[in-house]
Amino acid sequence: MAALMVAAGALGACQGGAGTGAGLAPGAPAGAAAGTAVAEAPVARGPFVAAANPLAVEAGVAVLRRGGTAVDAAVAIQAVLGLVEPQSSGLGGGAFMMLYDADTREVTAYDGRETAPASATAELFYEDGRPLSVPDAVLSGRSTGAPGVVAMLGMAQKEHGVLPWASLFTDAEQLAEDGFTVSPRLAGMIAVNRGQARSRWANAYFTRADGTRYGAGDTLRNPAYAQTLRTLAAGGAEAFYRGPIAAGIAETVAEQPRPGALTEADIAAYRPIERGALCRPFRIYVVCVPPPPSSGVAVLQLLAMAEATPAIDAGPDSAEAWTAFAQLQRLMYADRDRYVGDPAFVGVPVQGLLDDTYVAERAALAPGLTGAAEAGNPPGGVFRAGDATNEVAGTSHFVVVDDQGNAVSMTTTVESIFGSGRMTGGFFLNNQLTDFSFRATDDQGRPAANAVAAGKRPRSSMSPVIVLDARGRLVGAIGSPGGPSILAYNAKALIGSLIWGMETQAAFDLPNLVARGTGVGADTDRFSPALRDGLNAHGITLRPNASENSGLHGGFWKQGPTGWGWDGGADDRREGVARTQ
């Protein structure tokens, strides 16, 4: 009974409890089997930083060295990422943050998702009575929502920071003023001959005086970004939402082609939301994610179905395990696409999607799937229109743990590569509103959960993860970019680490397999010939992944040869690092 009571306490701290917690065991290291007797683990503490660019990691570590908290470091990391990795995130975008408080053992979700302007209608992306193409919509001013990441970080830092806000932008400002070295990944994005990389704003930023584009190893300066950071440092997060920065955003959105209607009033009205985290038991752990409009509930549903699927336990070399993983994904995506949206506008059956009986019924369908799955009917769910969202990708993830044991797991984005391609103040504007369904209803007139509406937040696949033990103590923190594939990437990493007992880096480096609808995308070259043949024999034909690839970052608190410490990982598909000092 003690273990059950402990599990309930951990779930209560996350403000999202359900389930019995059976099989949980306090103090277990990641990878331990359920019921295994283990030595008491010390409390997890930092410093630990994992992010997609070494310059951002160094900025976070520097803040921790000065005695800053995980949230303090998150502000500095985001400021640098927006400069050196602008294709993925920035001040003009949004984010979801999971925060673990070591003193209270509470997990809080911060929602910094963008909002549609007050003038938005369900036909925001219609022209001449028909939906726009995705490229046309992305490049339009209509695609930009009121940015949320700065307000979200400001809220969290006021509540959980200890260093002066103004001191958190020093590294980013210096890099912007003096210049930073263009990385190979950024250079590859700059070289793209279409879309946002060739907007007039991007051309002005990425083209030298001699007409050539910046390449890997070149030094790129951004004095406008440095000035924006000075304004933020002096005026606080509020300075982003009123005054010259907000005016610049509204003016840029209103430019051709296809001007948008986001106003200074819309920007000033933006508010981040502090939400209770959504937590559920998984094996001997408790996994916590943000609630809707994040799709974290889908990750929890997939993990719950995996627990009911013995084939998953066969391990990373088993075609049966990978086949089961693909089939469970199809069920998960069908439900996510049908039901998840902004809870302020639509009822999302979170409890029904995670209901034990419903999960078991869904998992039982997996072995018989030969193609796309149909959405189910979870308790409390209202059957809605089939999804017509075309979610594109351009995102980043980072994790910070400070020396007190507080942790941040944060997924941050401008949506597509370089967002909408529009710039002001040295940063790109998001195209997050294209994460809405372009069609508000289906042919039967049923409404889509993710239809556009004034003030609404688009559904997001971003689902940063915090993992606890049964006593509510920090065990791990991970997350990934990848557009809709984020859900598959996070689940793969959690299954690899917590079921298959792999080291974090090895779990991150596992092949990616994404099965949504009739499509199957994969890192085909990372699957062995035997696994490819085995999957094909089960009807899973691997094709190259058409979505943004993974960028998993984070780690797990584990006992190693020299004692307990962070087993960190940085996805080798990106340019990041994981550091413990």
Side-chain angles (χ1 to χ4, degrees):
M1 283 302 291
L4 298 180
M5 293 172 64
V6 167
L11 289 166
C14 298
Q15 305 170 46
T20 64
L24 297 175
T36 301
V38 294
E40 178 74 3
V43 172
R45 299 186 188 280
F48 174 65
V49 181
N53 185 283
L55 294 172
V57 171
E58 179 56 39
V61 170
V63 168
L64 297 181
R65 288 191 190 118
R66 301 202 314 267
T69 65
V71 172
D72 288 329
V75 177
I77 291 168
Q78 178 64 87
V80 173
L81 282 177
L83 174 69
V84 303
E85 200 194 28
Q87 70 271 22
S88 297
S89 74
L91 304 181
F96 288 93
M97 174 194 285
M98 296 293 289
L99 174 65
Y100 175 79
D101 186 303
D103 287 336
T104 63
R105 299 189 182 181
E106 290 185 350
V107 183
T108 303
Y110 287 90
D111 178 346
R113 187 65 162 159
E114 297 85 344
T115 53
S119 61
T121 68
E123 295 188 345
L124 176 66
F125 294 113
Y126 274 59
E127 199 166 85
D128 299 326
R130 297 174 61 85
L132 290 169
S133 70
V134 173
D136 284 344
V138 167
L139 291 168
S140 75
R142 306 179 201 177
S143 69
T144 298
V149 67
V150 174
M152 184 200 76
L153 286 169
M155 171 188 278
Q157 202 270 340
K158 283 182 179 178
E159 296 173 351
H160 298 280
V162 296
L163 296 182
W165 169 267
S167 72
L168 305 176
F169 300 93
T170 305
D171 285 355
E173 181 189 338
Q174 184 174 349
L175 286 168
E177 199 68 65
D178 298 343
F180 65 95
T181 301
V182 174
S183 72
R185 183 174 175 80
L186 174 56
M189 301 299 178
I190 291 173
V192 172
N193 286 316
R194 63 186 184 279
Q196 300 92 297
R198 295 292 167 165
S199 71
R200 65 174 179 269
W201 297 271
N203 282 337
Y205 181 37
F206 293 135
T207 305
R208 300 186 189 90
D210 65 2
T212 61
R213 307 281 278 190
Y214 284 92
D218 290 340
T219 298
L220 180 59
R221 296 179 62 249
N222 191 337
Y225 191 75
Q227 180 55 50
T228 293
L229 295 181
R230 285 191 286 270
T231 301
L232 284 180
E238 296 81 4
F240 190 87
Y241 294 87
R242 292 176 176 82
I245 297 177
I249 294 171
E251 290 168 7
T252 303
V253 165
E255 294 189 43
Q256 295 285 353
R258 297 183 176 87
L262 183 73
T263 65
E264 290 184 65
D266 291 320
I267 297 166
Y270 181 83
R271 297 292 183 273
I273 301 175
E274 182 178 331
R275 302 183 188 271
L278 182 61
C279 301
R280 289 296 184 275
F282 176 64
R283 299 286 173 115
I284 60 173
Y285 308 100
V286 176
V287 177
C288 298
V289 294
S294 161
S295 294
V297 60
V299 175
L300 295 184
Q301 185 194 37
L302 180 54
L303 292 176
M305 290 191 293
E307 282 202 273
T309 306
I312 292 289
D313 291 342
D317 297 323
S318 165
E320 288 75 17
W322 285 102
T323 298
F325 184 49
Q327 292 165 328
L328 295 177
Q329 283 184 52
R330 283 173 164 153
L331 293 159
M332 173 272 291
Y333 278 115
D335 281 357
R336 191 287 297 256
D337 293 350
R338 182 79 65 171
Y339 293 109
V340 176
D342 185 341
F345 289 77
V346 296
V348 183
V350 171
Q351 302 302 328
L353 290 168
L354 301 176
D355 177 79
D356 290 344
T357 300
Y358 179 71
V359 165
E361 291 172 350
R362 294 293 278 169
L365 298 174
L369 278 180
T370 57
E374 294 292 331
N377 291 286
V382 175
F383 202 73
R384 298 182 181 276
D387 192 59
T389 301
N390 293 286
E391 186 178 358
V392 290
T395 304
S396 197
H397 184 85
F398 63 85
V399 165
V400 189
V401 184
D402 62 35
D403 61 6
Q404 300 301 306
N406 305 301
V408 162
S409 182
M410 179 169 151
T411 312
T412 175
T413 187
V414 287
E415 178 53 6
S416 190
I417 304 302
F418 302 124
S420 66
R422 299 174 183 231
M423 291 187 78
T424 182
F427 58 89
F428 283 96
L429 301 182
N430 70 82
N431 66 293
Q432 295 288 12
L433 301 190
T434 58
D435 266 1
F436 282 119
S437 173
F438 283 22
R439 295 178 61 90
T441 60
D442 63 12
D443 293 339
Q444 287 76 47
R446 295 176 298 193
N450 193 37
V452 184
K456 190 176 181 180
R457 297 167 190 246
R459 184 189 70 206
S460 175
S461 292
M462 293 188 289
S463 49
V465 178
I466 292 282
V467 182
L468 309 176
D469 69 13
R471 293 163 58 181
R473 301 189 305 174
L474 182 66
V475 169
I478 69 158
S480 181
S485 298
I486 287 173
L487 308 177
Y489 299 156
N490 284 353
K492 176 203 77 172
L494 291 167
I495 289 170
S497 297
L498 304 182
I499 293 183
W500 296 342
M502 303 178 73
E503 297 299 311
T504 303
Q505 189 64 54
F508 287 0
D509 293 343
L510 281 169
N512 287 325
L513 177 65
V514 183
R516 183 184 182 200
T518 58
V520 179
D523 294 333
T524 53
D525 292 341
R526 295 196 181 212
F527 281 96
S528 68
L531 272 179
R532 288 199 297 269
D533 291 344
L535 286 165
N536 192 57
H538 287 85
I540 306 293
T541 301
L542 300 183
R543 296 179 178 85
N545 192 3
S547 181
E548 179 184 11
N549 221 325
S550 59
L552 286 152
H553 290 87
F556 293 89
W557 182 250
K558 290 185 178 182
Q559 188 173 24
T562 60
W564 286 85
W566 282 98
D567 176 36
D571 201 320
D572 67 357
R573 301 165 182 86
R574 300 282 173 125
E575 299 171 328
V577 294
R579 286 183 51 183
T580 56
Q581 58 182 358

